[in-house]
Amino acid sequence: MSSTKAYAAQSATVPLAPWTIDRRAPNPHDIQIQILFCGVCHSDIHTARGEWAGTVYPCVPGHEIVGRITAVGDHVKKFKVGDLAAVGCMVDSCRECDNCKEGLEQYCLNGNVGTYNSQQKDGSGNTYGGYSKSIVVHEDFVLTISDKLPLEGIAPLLCAGITTYSPLRHWKVGKGTKCAVLGLGGLGHMGVKLAVSFGADVTMLSHTASKQKDAERLGAHHFALTSDPETVKSLAKSFDFILNTVSAPHDYNVYLGMLKTNGIMVCVGAPPAPAQVPAFNLIGNRRSLAGSLIGGIPETQEMLDYCAKHGIVSDVEVIAMKDINEAYERMMKGDVRYRFVIDMATL
Ligand code: NAP
Ligand code: ZN
Ligand code: ZN
């Protein structure tokens, strides 16, 4: 065991503060990583603040982890000390069920083990995430990253990147697809970059007028302000595919109305309160409402390799660990361009 500095929420209502956790000594198949940067996902806020059911306190969030390997177990072949490495939203799964065998560990039929706020399979308790100096992870859940791109820009690919890449690939968004990305935050800005790179015609749907210039800079072909009723009306039956990344409760029906016949809206945003959708809003135009959870390990590696090849990284604002609570407040106001990333040297 090694004692490791971290930042934790001790309850849903107090700010995150310094805390110390124990990391296990590397087992034969484990990798020990010194964390260099960790992205800040809105799921960290939902979990730390107990907005979803099931937060176990103390809670150490963070699942967009990049760093350098400081030790490897005796049986590790793929990695060596000194290599760069990354960890995303999962650190384990059963590896035996049909979904795991297909590389869909996020949908493990026996439940995947999240990087934070999950129970370890060895019975050693709750998992603690990347708001910490180091982490120990089984080699099967460690990813390889490029040494050519800025590390702080790679970190958000581990959640915001794969969570948008996976549904765009699954539903074959590309040349000829009229695609909209709803919500320009951490996930949304990666969704735009990736959908554009796949060749789709991309519209940014945002309720923040001041983000128009950024949307265009990120590559969006069109921008539409969703707080303007006339704009919403003009977009009726416009899109084949909508990637919904909004974190707060909102009316799904407004956006379902923007889908063409056979159109699909995929929700990756996970507001704490349920949405109401009358069946007729789907029936009328044979529309589909779907969801998608992060991505499996093979697809996450594929996405990292794709982003390395195409020079795609996240637009980040690097912060010190002590500023995490202020960063949460700014994210709640939509004031982030477009991902906060913690420099772990400041912990
Ligand atoms: P974020 O950076 O805070 O971005 C969320 C965006 O949603 C905001 O930038 C804003 O965009 C829009 N928004 C916020 N409040 C709104 C409101 N009241 N009405 C309309 N739009 C609003 O969050 P994120 O890190 O991208 O995460 C987004 C959501 O995805 C969270 O719920 C998170 O938990 C979830 N998530 C899911 C998965 C998965 O596997 N499915 C993975 C990661 C995260 P505009 O200003 O442009 O409107
Ligand atoms: Zn996340
Ligand atoms: Zn499984």
Side-chain angles (χ1 to χ4, degrees):
M1 293 279 229
S2 61
S3 170
T4 305
K5 278 194 202 173
Y7 251 60
Q10 299 289 341
S11 83
T13 51
V14 298
L16 276 73
W19 193 53
T20 303
I21 56 174
D22 284 327
R23 294 294 192 194
R24 66 176 182 262
N27 290 321
H29 283 284
D30 279 345
I31 311 275
Q32 183 186 60
I33 300 167
Q34 177 200 0
I35 301 175
L36 298 174
F37 292 99
C38 182
V40 180
C41 177
H42 208 111
S43 302
D44 301 355
I45 303 181
H46 291 310
T47 309
R49 295 185 172 178
E51 293 173 1
W52 295 332
T55 303
V56 175
Y57 296 97
C59 170
V60 177
H63 56 204
E64 294 182 336
I65 297 167
V66 296
R68 201 170 284 285
I69 296 176
T70 46
V72 299
D74 292 345
H75 294 174
V76 171
K77 298 239 159 47
K78 235 170 70 186
F79 299 93
K80 59 180 193 314
V81 170
D83 286 352
L84 292 171
V87 177
C89 304
M90 297 178 287
V91 290
D92 208 353
S93 71
C94 84
R95 298 145 208 241
E96 285 169 359
C97 71
D98 289 349
N99 286 349
C100 281
K101 281 188 191 147
E102 256 193 77
L104 296 170
E105 301 87 350
Q106 75 275 36
Y107 305 121
C108 173
L109 298 173
N110 298 301
N112 75 60
V113 179
T115 303
Y116 61 81
N117 198 46
S118 270
Q119 288 304 304
Q120 305 261 19
K121 289 212 176 284
D122 63 4
S124 60
N126 202 20
T127 54
Y128 297 124
Y131 296 6
S132 59
K133 283 296 230 188
S134 71
I135 192 164
V136 177
V137 179
H138 190 286
E139 60 177 333
D140 290 352
F141 287 80
V142 177
L143 289 310
T144 302
I145 52 174
S146 162
D147 57 2
K148 307 273 183 307
L149 295 171
L151 277 183
E152 61 275 27
I154 293 175
L157 301 181
L158 276 302
C159 177
I162 185 60
T163 301
T164 50
Y165 183 94
S166 185
L168 291 170
R169 285 301 200 207
H170 181 78
W171 278 280
K172 301 187 170 45
V173 171
K175 228 175 158 32
T177 313
K178 288 203 85 122
C179 170
V181 177
L182 174 59
L184 184 43
L187 266 54
H189 92 291
M190 289 312 307
V192 169
K193 288 188 189 206
L194 291 168
V196 168
S197 83
F198 298 162
D201 181 77
V202 179
T203 300
M204 182 71 236
L205 300 173
S206 171
H207 81 316
T208 311
S210 62
K211 292 182 182 173
Q212 177 159 5
K213 277 225 153 56
D214 285 343
E216 284 159 8
R217 181 177 53 75
L218 293 165
H221 305 100
H222 320 275
F223 179 89
L225 189 61
T226 55
S227 50
D228 174 35
E230 284 307 310
T231 302
V232 170
K233 226 193 216 164
S234 73
L235 290 173
K237 299 182 187 161
S238 296
F239 303 116
D240 301 301
F241 185 89
I242 298 177
L243 186 64
N244 182 343
T245 76
V246 173
S247 54
H250 59 288
D251 185 0
Y252 284 12
N253 301 292
V254 172
Y255 307 101
L256 288 171
M258 295 181 185
L259 289 174
K260 294 189 202 177
T261 305
N262 297 325
I264 301 160
M265 178 159 84
V266 176
C267 295
V268 288
Q276 280 211 338
V277 176
F280 281 110
N281 286 354
L282 301 171
I283 291 169
N285 282 281
R286 197 160 62 189
R287 291 165 170 144
S288 302
L289 179 60
S292 183
L293 176 67
I294 50 172
I297 296 297
E299 193 174 41
T300 304
Q301 190 61 63
E302 175 191 305
M303 176 275 309
L304 288 167
D305 297 346
Y306 177 87
C307 288
K309 185 168 168 210
H310 295 271
I312 297 173
V313 285
S314 176
D315 290 19
V316 303
E317 179 176 339
V318 176
I319 59 167
M321 187 72 254
K322 69 175 176 44
D323 295 328
I324 187 64
N325 295 300
E326 191 194 329
Y328 278 14
E329 288 311 314
R330 284 183 53 195
M331 278 172 79
M332 293 308 292
K333 290 189 223 129
D335 175 22
V336 49
R337 303 284 189 277
Y338 278 92
R339 199 58 141 185
F340 289 119
V341 173
I342 307 159
D343 178 354
M344 274 313 152
T346 63
L347 174 60

